[in-house]
Amino acid sequence: MDILIRQQTCRIYTGGRDFDRERPTVVLIHGAGHDHSVWNNQARHLAHQGFGVLAPDLPGHGASQGVPLQSIDAMADWLLEMLDTVGVAQASLVGHSMGSLIALAAAARAGERVSALVLVGSVAPMPVAPALIEAASSKPARAHAMINQWSYSPSAQLGASATPGTSLLGINQRLMERQAAGVLATDLSACNAWTDGLARAADIRCPTLLISGERDQMTPPRAVKPLYEALVNAAGGARMITVAGAGHAMMAESPDAVTNAIRGFLRT
């Protein structure tokens, strides 16, 4: 569905079913240089399991108008404004990579509106290699190749896929290529600049689940520990699971494991 936010059209995927605000709402937030489609498997499943699904294209991404927002806090403000526009008072937030930082910032800012938080492939802070930011600015094809190299497990690099006959790396390549110029560089810079994650984690009042990929090179499980400890000690508490064999793009590499983890946590 399309809605107007700040006089610009925002595209929101609802998992193949009309959005029903009377159902428990779950918001799926994509990462840098991506759009809602990274959540297609999870969105469809959740929409047919009793949830109202909102998977937006962030401003300037996918089919949403505007330019990409410059900071994680600006994206979190926009997300909360999206919920106001749709008429949702409370929702669970699920974010991947950059999207996890947006979810964390929004939950810390408007805790009474967030019933649960799921952070997929998340660390805080989330530094980005200067070489990747530079490539995203001046040589996007090189940046796309670097991201594909770092986002997938060795088996995926060799062609393994949960959907036989599809190339996960090829799909991700096309997804990054179809974003507007400058989107990836802006997103990566926003991730790199946001250093408030651990402080914000201490303010989270809802239960949190962290989902980490065992073979994740971008946000490896060992790097998640500071964020996990901050959330465990927060009012809402936290738990963490590791998806065996999965890389950073775990929603595509291990869609059933990620979907089941999210559904199970939100129902609990």
Side-chain angles (χ1 to χ4, degrees), residues 31-34 60-61 68-69 75 98 128 132-137 139-148 172 175-177 179-192 218:
H34 284 159
H61 298 70
L69 301 175
M75 296 180 213
M98 180 184 78
V128 180
L132 179 54
I133 295 177
E134 172 59 28
S137 299
K139 299 177 181 178
R142 181 181 177 189
H144 298 162
M146 295 165 71
I147 289 172
N148 261 353
N172 193 50
L175 173 57
M176 293 186 289
E177 288 175 347
Q179 304 305 318
V183 166
L184 179 60
T186 299
D187 289 350
L188 294 176
S189 295
C191 292
N192 190 59
M218 299 188 83

Side-chain angles (χ1 to χ4, degrees), residues 28 38-39 41-43 45-46 94-96 118-121 209-214 241-244 246-266:
L28 304 172
V38 298
W39 291 110
N41 284 300
Q42 290 73 34
H45 179 89
L46 293 170
V94 181
H96 173 246
V118 181
L119 308 178
V120 184
L209 173 68
L210 296 99
I211 305 178
S212 181
E214 180 187 23
I241 66 169
T242 301
V243 180
H248 191 63
M250 64 194 86
M251 298 98 71
E253 281 198 73
S254 301
D256 290 345
V258 173
T259 300
N260 291 340
I262 293 171
R263 185 195 66 243
F265 180 70
L266 296 183

Side-chain angles (χ1 to χ4, degrees), residues 82-101:
M82 182 203 75
L83 291 177
D84 290 338
T85 303
V86 177
V88 172
Q90 190 175 60
S92 298
L93 303 183
V94 181
H96 173 246
S97 199
M98 180 184 78
S100 73
L101 301 185

Side-chain angles (χ1 to χ4, degrees), residues 19-240:
F19 176 69
D20 183 355
R21 65 178 54 86
E22 298 302 317
R23 295 182 172 195
T25 298
V26 55
V27 182
L28 304 172
I29 312 161
H30 65 76
H34 284 159
D35 61 28
H36 77 269
S37 61
V38 298
W39 291 110
N40 280 350
N41 284 300
Q42 290 73 34
R44 286 193 295 264
H45 179 89
L46 293 170
H48 288 80
Q49 292 293 320
F51 295 92
V53 172
L54 299 172
D57 288 346
L58 294 171
H61 298 70
S64 287
Q65 295 179 337
V67 296
L69 301 175
Q70 300 287 313
S71 71
I72 297 300
D73 286 326
M75 296 180 213
D77 286 341
W78 181 91
L79 186 74
L80 294 171
E81 192 169 337
M82 182 203 75
L83 291 177
D84 290 338
T85 303
V86 177
V88 172
Q90 190 175 60
S92 298
L93 303 183
V94 181
H96 173 246
S97 199
M98 180 184 78
S100 73
L101 301 185
I102 299 168
L104 181 61
R109 184 166 309 184
E112 72 285 351
R113 301 193 65 179
V114 181
S115 53
L117 188 61
V118 181
L119 308 178
V120 184
S122 186
V123 294
M126 191 177 284
V128 180
L132 179 54
I133 295 177
E134 172 59 28
S137 299
S138 59
K139 299 177 181 178
R142 181 181 177 189
H144 298 162
M146 295 165 71
I147 289 172
N148 261 353
Q149 179 181 354
W150 296 335
S151 290
Y152 292 91
S153 67
S155 61
Q157 296 286 345
L158 294 173
S161 172
T163 305
T166 62
S167 167
L168 296 181
L169 278 69
I171 291 171
N172 193 50
Q173 180 83 16
R174 300 289 88 77
L175 173 57
M176 293 186 289
E177 288 175 347
R178 72 175 181 238
Q179 304 305 318
V183 166
L184 179 60
T186 299
D187 289 350
L188 294 176
S189 295
C191 292
N192 190 59
W194 199 65
T195 58
D196 296 341
L198 296 181
R200 301 286 182 89
D203 297 329
I204 300 300
R205 298 192 292 277
C206 64
T208 301
L209 173 68
L210 296 99
I211 305 178
S212 181
E214 180 187 23
R215 304 302 296 268
D216 190 338
Q217 298 180 75
M218 299 188 83
T219 55
R222 65 180 181 278
V224 182
K225 186 176 179 182
L227 177 59
Y228 171 67
E229 290 181 344
L231 288 164
V232 164
N233 292 319
R239 61 188 181 92
M240 176 176 168

